Amino acid sequence: MKILCDRTALCEALSPILPAIPTKEPPKPACKNLHMEAEGERLILEGTNLELAITSQIDSVKVESPGEVLVPARPFYSLLTEINDPTLELVLEDGNLLVPTGSGEYRIVVSDADFPEITFESEAKGIEIPVEILNRLFQSTEYACAKEASRYAMNGVLLRIREGKLTFVGTDGRRLAMASESLPEVPETLGAEALLPHTCLGSALRSITSLGGESATLFFGESYVCFSSGRTKVSVQMIRGTFPDFDSVIPQDMSNKVEIQKSLLESALRRVSVFCEDMDPAVRIEFDGTRAVFSSESSEVGSGNASVDVELSGGGGKIVFNPRFILDAVKTCHQDQVHFEFEDGNSPGKFLLGEQYVYVLMPITGKT
Amino acid sequence: MDAFFAAVEQKDDPSLRGRPVIVGGLGKRGVVATCSYEARVFGVHSAQPTAVARRLCPRGVFLPPRMRRYAEISARIRRVFEDFSPLVEPLSLDEAFLDLSGTERLFGPPQRAALALQEAVEEAVGLPLSIGAATSKFVAKVASDLRKPRGLVLVPPGSERSFLAPLPLSRLWGAGEATRTRMEELGLRRIGDLQDLGLEACVRHLGEVWGRRFHELSLGRDPRKVSPGRKAKSIGHETTFPENLAGREAQLAVLCRLCERVGRRLRKQGFTCGLLRLKLRFPPFVTRSRQIRLPEPLDEDRRLFDAAKRLFLEACPEPRPLRLLGVTAADLRSKETGRQASLFTRRRDEAGNRLSEALDRIRDRFGEDSISLGRTGRIEDLSEEEEPDGAVPPPA
């Protein structure tokens, strides 16, 4: 392989691939590497951690002799960003990739590992979605995913297209976050669903966002979900497993409805959290008339209560929550007001954190 | 309590009274847990290999421990203690510290209170008890061991020094073999020698911390208070197989039984656990332990077993014989702190909870071994484990 290409173009093509390159121990030694293939007038770049694969390409490359090569991705990128030459020559020679420049010559050891075969599914069924929406839906649901490896199907974010809406859902069995966005362009009859590992989905969106484009094309394949933008394609492997039946656990028509100012809610929770037991944080919230009183106590620190003005409709009542679970969600709320509904201390509480953003949280029961 | 396990056996089976009774592991690798005073005459003592005890006392009655029964009686004794003082610190199944200060008006001077306590325990459980009464935990413990069985030794305030002086150094808490050898090299034989040596020399020869500590103890000064707040930190069961246990199914069956026992005790004591630990010992004597953080705090047999089984299969992916298997639940949380409710109650979980509750009720009525899950195996040599906070070093 021998090629001549524009250095900036190469850097820009390589940078969005980096989120797929494992920083720690790779699942396969080959995954540390960047795969480059030169043919015709193109250079195709690929990287993968087996669950996530990213590819990009540069056109108008002068290919003197075609071929492919596997080089350590991160070191190669570091080198490229430090070179000033506008045009680069890359030559495969005696098991090394030679990079001769005006101010020095570099030899990169080429790996002979087997690079995994990557297939990127066809774009035929693609849906155009603003990148900002993808990121917002992800941030509104990712925190609710299970972090323990033991709940496999719950480690994922569910993506669903139905009735002209894109919905993301995350749950760890104690709380559930569901955020949707209407997509006017999408026909109501189109339906698709996929469960994606939340870390890979995060990396995929970082890659797509780094391209700077306004929108990305999303398509659901057989076993992958692909995002593409410009010359870059990102493919995320689906999780096989049954996501819990989440529609049925979102409660409707609850007797207590509360409007509370977001900043006051956060501040009250943070203050009484000081008095929570480390292992089992719990804050009691009592709604009565026009007030919510937050209280907590621990044997080591003491006790505290904070009261906040609210608008309540309903008879009020008491409910105990893990305050971290409320704060996680409220942090991603972009409105000034939080709408909260609950039935009693033994049933789930429902937070409305946006027009199409619902968060359901189970209480702590049996606390004396 | 005096020769507690053996005394319980003799109480439950009158034909054993007056005979040498030895309770312990009966397998090839078993050791003596307790023996009756009749057996001690033959030179049998606790921690001795059972095989040696059999040689010394061929006519002895050798019995496997019945921990459930001992725990049951221990709980009854504890309730008697609690009638005498709110400050009761259990040291083991058959030993406890009671702080009786401030109870003089109720129970009279120490001698009278101690006699009343002995009587109350004999009446409640029909077992002999020895008492040591003193101004500190250390002196009281030493005094209680001095005149067994049915002993009552009072060490009045001010007489601690003269009480301890003639006793051997092995009575000192925390003085292991190495320390005692060091003390003997210094020409020390009795606790009195340590008193005479003085603080400065003690520190010079035995180090700042331990020198000071032993000197204080030798004078009967022990600042530790009786603290009833010793919460269980873990609940575990382990079993040593008399013959190495091979075969995956058989091993899993024992694992299941251990999980049942752990679950049962968790529920009984009102705990859930956030951490499960597995202990494996392969022949000849290679011990491995593994632990897993549970996705949510648990107390239910089948889910404990699910987690234990996963650890087990990770720890020995290839079937191999086992010498010991143990399961411990740690990171215990009291159910009073509340329970994070679940959005999706899996039917299996709910059924599991109901099953555990039903089994508990049957065991409450008909005994611990009256019922168990289908796949469970028999466990012969069972030990219980409960790690208390800041455990007091056992007397040497």
Side-chain angles (χ1 to χ4, degrees):
Chain A
M1 185 180 97
K2 187 173 179 185
I3 59 166
L4 269 171
C5 71
D6 181 74
R7 186 188 61 85
T8 316
L10 183 55
C11 278
E12 282 173 1
L14 174 48
S15 150
I17 292 177
L18 293 177
I21 311 291
T23 44
K24 292 180 198 147
E25 198 55 37
K28 268 183 157 188
C31 295
K32 283 190 304 193
N33 295 298
L34 171 74
H35 182 252
M36 288 194 284
E37 189 174 354
E39 54 162 36
E41 290 188 343
R42 293 185 309 175
L43 178 67
I44 301 167
L45 311 175
E46 285 177 336
T48 182
N49 66 12
L50 302 184
E51 286 185 314
L52 169 71
I54 305 178
T55 184
S56 187
Q57 54 175 286
I58 321 168
D59 300 320
S60 61
V61 174
K62 191 175 174 202
V63 179
E64 285 181 15
S65 77
E68 57 182 315
V69 68
L70 213 53
V71 289
R74 291 179 188 277
F76 183 54
Y77 180 71
S78 301
L79 176 68
L80 293 185
T81 55
E82 292 301 327
I83 292 174
N84 293 322
D85 302 33
T87 308
L88 278 184
E89 190 182 6
L90 303 176
V91 188
L92 178 63
E93 194 184 278
D94 301 330
N96 291 303
L97 183 70
L98 244 61
V99 188
T101 71
S103 55
E105 191 181 273
Y106 311 95
R107 267 167 201 280
I108 298 164
V109 177
V110 168
S111 164
D112 57 2
D114 273 339
F115 193 74
E117 185 92 19
I118 303 171
T119 46
F120 291 91
E121 313 249 349
S122 122
E123 299 183 42
K125 304 166 278 187
I127 305 159
E128 185 99 343
I129 298 171
V131 173
E132 180 270 326
I133 289 180
L134 289 172
N135 279 318
R136 181 153 46 79
L137 296 183
F138 179 69
Q139 279 151 19
S140 304
T141 48
E142 183 266 343
Y143 62 88
C145 290
K147 305 298 183 287
E148 304 94 1
S150 52
R151 301 215 144 174
Y152 197 49
M154 292 192 187
N155 280 337
V157 174
L158 185 86
L159 271 65
R160 180 168 80 178
I161 300 233
R162 191 187 281 179
E163 293 163 0
K165 271 204 282 191
L166 172 65
T167 301
F168 280 37
V169 187
T171 181
D172 64 2
R174 301 167 288 198
R175 52 194 172 149
L176 180 140
M178 178 169 91
S180 306
E181 190 68 43
S182 303
L183 303 172
E185 315 270 297
V186 174
E188 296 236 334
T189 48
L190 187 73
E193 202 172 276
L195 186 58
L196 304 178
H198 69 97
T199 45
C200 288
L201 180 56
S203 302
L205 294 178
R206 268 211 311 286
S207 172
I208 291 293
T209 309
S210 75
L211 299 169
E214 291 231 327
S215 66
T217 307
L218 164 67
F219 44 98
F220 291 77
E222 282 291 306
S223 57
Y224 292 88
V225 163
C226 294
F227 299 88
S228 67
S229 175
R231 308 295 270 155
T232 303
K233 287 182 193 169
V234 182
S235 169
V236 185
Q237 192 175 30
M238 292 178 194
I239 297 178
R240 302 238 169 265
T242 324
F243 198 70
D245 173 23
F246 61 93
D247 287 313
S248 66
V249 299
I250 300 173
Q252 309 293 337
D253 294 325
M254 287 189 283
S255 53
N256 290 293
K257 296 182 169 62
V258 183
E259 292 290 332
I260 184 166
Q261 211 176 312
K262 179 192 152 190
S263 56
L264 295 179
L265 171 65
E266 283 183 304
S267 151
L269 280 170
R270 289 215 186 89
R271 274 176 280 147
V272 294
S273 288
V274 169
F275 301 98
C276 284
E277 304 279 0
D278 275 351
M279 294 302 295
D280 305 282
V283 167
R284 192 178 299 105
I285 313 175
E286 203 163 349
F287 295 93
D288 183 16
T290 57
R291 281 196 327 162
V293 179
F294 297 71
S295 63
S296 173
E297 66 280 310
S298 91
S299 51
E300 281 173 21
V301 184
S303 62
N305 68 74
S307 92
V308 173
D309 287 339
V310 298
E311 279 170 44
L312 168 74
S313 78
K318 244 193 306 192
I319 191 161
V320 182
F321 285 122
N322 179 333
R324 287 175 207 156
F325 290 171
I326 304 181
L327 287 167
D328 281 352
V330 171
K331 204 161 59 185
T332 66
C333 168
H334 299 291
Q335 310 176 148
D336 293 337
Q337 288 285 108
V338 170
H339 177 88
F340 170 65
E341 297 180 14
F342 74 108
E343 195 62 50
D344 55 44
N346 295 311
S347 317
K350 179 164 89 172
F351 296 79
L352 300 181
L353 303 170
E355 240 172 75
Q356 298 189 69
Y357 178 11
V358 183
Y359 180 64
V360 180
L361 175 59
M362 287 306 284
I364 292 168
T365 56
K367 186 173 168 63
T368 48
Chain B
M1 303 302 295
D2 303 323
F4 182 55
F5 298 175
V8 173
E9 298 301 340
Q10 288 176 325
K11 176 183 113 69
D12 287 352
D13 179 357
S15 75
L16 297 176
R17 291 182 195 162
R19 295 173 63 188
V21 173
I22 295 111
V23 178
L26 302 187
K28 277 194 288 190
R29 292 158 177 159
V31 292
V32 175
T34 321
C35 58
S36 70
Y37 287 91
E38 295 86 352
R40 295 189 190 188
V41 178
F42 294 89
V44 179
H45 58 82
S46 52
Q48 191 173 51
T50 307
V52 175
R54 280 189 200 276
R55 260 205 318 278
L56 291 170
C57 185
R59 297 210 160 171
V61 181
F62 289 80
L63 299 171
R66 293 184 301 150
M67 298 308 293
R68 293 285 104 221
R69 176 71 180 143
Y70 309 148
E72 216 176 283
I73 300 219
S74 173
R76 270 154 64 189
I77 299 170
R78 172 128 189 227
R79 281 197 288 276
V80 176
F81 289 168
E82 280 163 357
D83 288 341
F84 278 77
S85 168
L87 292 176
V88 178
E89 178 183 334
L91 196 57
S92 62
L93 277 182
D94 68 330
E95 284 175 299
F97 291 113
L98 276 78
D99 185 344
L100 287 178
S101 50
T103 67
E104 292 85 350
R105 288 179 63 185
L106 267 173
F107 303 112
Q111 171 120 22
R112 195 171 334 142
L115 284 172
L117 185 59
Q118 252 172 349
E119 241 168 63
V121 170
E122 287 234 36
E123 198 185 298
V125 295
L127 293 174
L129 162 80
S130 291
I131 294 179
T135 51
S136 70
K137 277 162 69 166
F138 166 60
V139 180
K141 162 78 180 144
V142 171
S144 75
D145 285 334
L146 222 52
R147 229 170 276 157
K148 279 171 171 274
R150 288 196 172 81
L152 172 54
V153 176
L154 254 87
V155 184
S159 66
E160 292 86 359
R161 188 181 174 135
S162 55
F163 166 75
L164 291 170
L167 299 176
L169 291 170
S170 59
R171 296 274 178 185
L172 278 180
W173 276 359
E177 211 161 303
T179 311
R180 289 211 303 278
T181 312
R182 175 93 190 96
M183 288 179 180
E184 275 159 26
E185 281 167 11
L186 294 168
L188 309 175
R189 296 282 175 274
R190 319 225 148 253
I191 295 182
D193 299 337
L194 208 56
Q195 295 169 349
D196 298 340
L197 192 63
L199 176 61
E200 205 183 302
C202 274
V203 168
R204 199 166 57 241
H205 294 299
L206 301 168
E208 174 65 35
V209 176
W210 287 99
R212 190 173 290 277
R213 176 123 169 239
F214 285 130
H215 186 256
E216 291 283 295
L217 281 180
S218 76
L219 297 171
R221 293 183 200 145
D222 175 15
R224 277 169 293 192
K225 291 198 160 42
V226 174
S227 63
R230 295 180 9 157
K231 281 188 237 145
K233 271 187 167 172
S234 70
I235 286 177
H237 277 281
E238 62 178 47
T239 179
T240 303
F241 306 112
E243 302 283 342
N244 294 332
L245 182 69
R248 179 133 287 176
E249 276 311 303
Q251 295 172 346
L252 287 176
V254 172
L255 188 67
C256 185
R257 185 81 183 106
L258 290 168
C259 290
E260 272 191 295
R261 298 232 158 160
V262 169
R264 166 89 164 131
R265 279 175 62 206
L266 282 172
R267 292 188 297 277
K268 232 177 169 173
Q269 297 179 31
F271 286 122
T272 56
C273 69
L275 207 67
L276 196 74
R277 227 179 273 138
L278 181 73
K279 183 171 159 191
L280 301 163
R281 186 170 292 147
F282 304 105
F285 205 88
V286 183
T287 310
R288 293 265 173 282
S289 67
R290 293 208 164 210
Q291 65 177 38
I292 187 173
R293 178 147 291 282
L294 300 165
E296 60 187 329
L298 295 182
D299 67 354
E300 192 257 298
D301 301 348
R302 217 154 49 160
R303 296 183 68 193
L304 290 172
F305 176 62
D306 285 346
K309 184 176 161 190
R310 219 177 49 234
L311 280 178
F312 178 81
L313 295 178
E314 262 174 45
C316 57
E318 299 298 321
R320 54 194 283 203
L322 278 177
R323 205 188 145 113
L324 172 149
L325 192 55
V327 174
T328 300
D331 181 17
L332 303 184
R333 295 133 188 243
S334 159
K335 278 186 196 157
E336 283 160 26
T337 60
R339 189 174 193 139
Q340 170 66 53
S342 220
L343 270 169
F344 316 99
T345 329
R346 288 182 295 182
R347 234 180 275 148
R348 193 177 131 83
D349 294 353
E350 220 163 54
N353 285 335
R354 281 204 306 273
L355 179 66
S356 291
E357 282 165 21
L359 291 180
D360 284 349
R361 280 198 299 274
I362 292 170
R363 289 185 188 125
D364 285 342
R365 268 188 80 176
F366 301 107
E368 290 305 319
D369 292 318
S370 56
I371 191 163
S372 56
L373 295 178
R375 72 175 312 153
T376 55
R378 290 193 60 78
I379 300 173
E380 303 292 339
D381 181 19
L382 202 78
S383 75
E384 292 187 16
E385 160 200 352
E386 202 166 300
E387 294 165 15
D389 269 339
V392 180

